[in-house]
Amino acid sequence: MNTNNLQQDAGHKHQVYMVSGNDKFLSGLLIALSPFYHARSFNDTEELFDELFTSLPKTLIVDATLSGTSALRFITALRINFSSDQLPIIFTVMSAQESWINEASKISGLKCLERPFQTDQLLRTVTQQVNAHTEAQWDAIEPVQRQALKQTLAFYNSIADKVMNGEIFEFQDVTNSCESLIEAVDNRNYKDILRALREHDDYTYVHSMRAATFLCAFGQAVGFTGDELNTLTTGGLLLDVGKTYIPYNLLNKKEPLDEEEYNIIKKHVEYGASFLNQVDDLPSGVSIIAAQHHEKIDGTGYPHGLECMKFDRLARMAAIVDVFCAMTDRRTYKAAFSPQKTLAQMAAMEGHLDRRLLLKFGEMLLDAPILH
Ligand SMILES: [Fe+2]
Ligand SMILES: [Fe+2]
């Protein structure tokens, strides 16, 4: 038996299992995945099979090279016992083995990852499969909140594809995707949205959707309605859209960033703003939120070092929500801060946030149906 069990740290990591007859390949997978997942490797299929009846991982990687059995036969046996909602599978196979790839494409809930692959590709595929598992649970959520999650996620995924293909979206698409979210917040009915997001594994989506939810609630608390509220909410969903251009490894890096890496991350503001500037009919507030949400009132923020009165009120609201969400988000490398502790720390940040608005935000939170 060769079972490696990597210790779980204080952050939140989903379980991913992997099985292969090739030990070198297994240890490569383990090294690539362990910063982000609670990864466990097996080279014995029977051992794995027994384990699955005790605990199901969010995703299982089955390599085509298995000892003692054919990988496709093994996967078929797994499917008899576990549905694709219960156990998403990734099948890693050499790209030359076309007949295997064809066979595998007929099995439900199975994703093929052709070898050799880049680490970034592996991480994206694992994230997608882990999320397929999480999203399948959304069917049990109250309908308006379920709609809000599904519509915004579908929009977010379509944006990632569009960025990759150099295409642009229509403003109406994002407005439509936020309709149920605004309705949910309007009815003070967004507890399940926040709860469901805690299990999702696409950090940029989760952060943006939480930002959109809290910005919408904040907007309502200061009296926004109609188009204004729509601008604020869609602006929240799009505030970090420029992160789509930043490599996965860097966005999810566990260790502190060095200066060069931090400068690359900071570029998401310019990338986001120039992407949004190409969208016809986009309300100026939406691109202002993306362009200015990292400015600080004392002029030490980025990218332009704008002082308080020079940067937009919407962006000052977004800066508050962005900091709040970043601190209360759960990451693979840190636990979430409580809202109370976060607010206290935000109040102590000299020169960063607009104090009057922060006070309003704090009042809104006290009144909110749920924070976590
Ligand atoms: Fe940002
Ligand atoms: Fe952010």
Side-chain angles (χ1 to χ4, degrees):
M1 188 187 93
N2 171 21
T3 305
N4 287 307
N5 203 344
L6 295 180
Q7 219 194 336
Q8 197 160 7
D9 63 17
H12 176 69
K13 288 181 176 179
H14 294 299
Q15 296 249 27
V16 174
Y17 290 179
M18 56 206 79
V19 60
S20 171
N22 179 340
D23 284 345
K24 207 169 145 208
F25 179 65
L26 269 185
S27 59
L29 285 181
L30 210 57
I31 289 168
L33 293 175
S34 56
F36 311 108
Y37 295 97
H38 185 52
R40 244 184 116 173
S41 69
F42 298 80
N43 62 6
D44 182 331
T45 48
E46 281 179 29
E47 186 83 41
L48 167 65
F49 211 78
D50 288 346
E51 185 58 37
L52 291 175
F53 283 99
T54 316
S55 88
L56 276 176
K58 291 270 182 172
T59 290
L60 169 66
I61 302 174
V62 179
D63 185 40
T65 318
L66 291 185
S67 37
T69 181
S70 132
L72 287 176
R73 199 175 311 142
F74 179 61
I75 290 171
T76 309
L78 288 174
R79 268 293 162 267
I80 293 168
N81 290 278
F82 308 102
S83 72
S84 54
D85 281 354
Q86 290 175 303
L87 184 65
I89 299 174
I90 296 169
F91 181 45
T92 52
V93 56
M94 296 309 274
S95 50
Q97 291 178 292
E98 280 176 33
S99 59
W100 286 49
I101 296 171
N102 284 340
E103 273 306 300
S105 67
K106 294 174 197 153
I107 302 173
S108 74
L110 185 76
K111 251 201 151 59
C112 265
L113 183 60
E114 295 180 27
R115 292 173 60 185
F117 48 75
Q118 305 283 323
T119 306
D120 222 52
Q121 236 179 317
L122 168 72
L123 290 169
R124 280 183 203 283
T125 311
V126 171
T127 300
Q128 273 172 12
Q129 288 295 75
V130 166
N131 287 338
H133 184 277
T134 301
E135 288 155 27
Q137 321 297 316
W138 289 359
D139 287 334
I141 296 176
E142 179 277 324
V144 176
Q145 298 182 75
R146 179 175 68 223
Q147 275 287 92
L149 287 161
K150 290 197 167 183
Q151 288 168 338
T152 51
L153 179 67
F155 172 75
Y156 222 84
N157 287 338
S158 77
I159 286 273
D161 292 341
K162 287 200 160 76
V163 165
M164 222 135 45
N165 300 326
E167 296 164 8
I168 303 298
F169 66 93
E170 311 260 322
F171 181 60
Q172 195 57 45
D173 298 344
V174 62
T175 297
N176 293 344
S177 83
C178 286
E179 229 168 47
S180 299
L181 172 61
I182 294 174
E183 186 186 336
V185 175
D186 202 23
N187 296 329
R188 299 170 52 78
N189 194 21
Y190 53 95
K191 186 173 166 175
D192 289 349
I193 293 177
L194 296 174
R195 192 177 290 152
L197 288 171
R198 296 183 74 189
E199 288 302 308
H200 204 272
D201 198 38
D202 179 340
Y203 176 64
T204 304
Y205 165 68
V206 170
H207 174 66
S208 307
M209 179 58 176
R210 293 187 73 230
T213 308
F214 284 111
L215 262 176
C216 184
F218 192 9
Q220 286 186 335
V222 297
F224 285 20
T225 54
D227 285 350
E228 240 183 348
L229 191 62
N230 188 40
T231 296
L232 197 62
T233 311
T234 51
L237 195 65
L238 290 165
L239 103 167
D240 274 338
V241 69
K243 287 195 174 159
T244 323
Y245 294 86
I246 312 285
Y248 185 100
N249 270 327
L250 200 54
L251 284 179
N252 295 284
K253 196 172 170 196
K254 188 175 177 175
E255 298 79 26
L257 301 171
D258 64 29
E259 202 183 327
E260 196 184 330
E261 290 169 328
Y262 186 46
N263 286 335
I264 297 174
I265 299 255
K266 280 175 164 179
K267 283 220 172 343
H268 78 275
V269 171
E270 290 160 55
Y271 293 149
S274 59
F275 176 70
L276 292 176
N277 283 337
Q278 300 171 65
V279 180
D280 286 338
D281 306 326
L282 190 84
S284 59
V286 175
S287 48
I288 286 172
I289 287 172
Q292 300 182 354
H293 70 280
H294 286 288
E295 299 290 356
K296 296 181 181 175
I297 56 161
D298 63 1
T300 61
Y302 66 90
H304 299 299
L306 301 173
E307 282 174 27
C308 180
M309 291 329 280
K310 299 207 178 93
F311 80 100
D312 198 274
R313 182 162 177 252
L314 294 182
R316 278 181 271 143
M317 292 172 76
I320 289 170
V321 169
D322 187 46
V323 170
F324 177 80
C325 288
M327 292 175 79
T328 53
D329 282 340
R330 192 158 58 165
R331 304 296 310 267
T332 52
Y333 52 80
K334 75 159 185 75
F337 278 22
S338 75
Q340 291 77 4
K341 193 172 160 190
T342 301
L343 273 179
Q345 290 215 7
M346 288 167 75
M349 287 175 177
E350 280 298 323
H352 186 161
L353 304 164
D354 182 318
R355 292 210 159 271
R356 292 236 303 264
L357 285 172
L358 183 59
L359 207 66
K360 280 263 172 229
F361 182 69
E363 282 170 16
M364 180 282 288
L365 281 183
L366 279 179
D367 227 26
I370 185 168
L371 303 171
H372 260 282

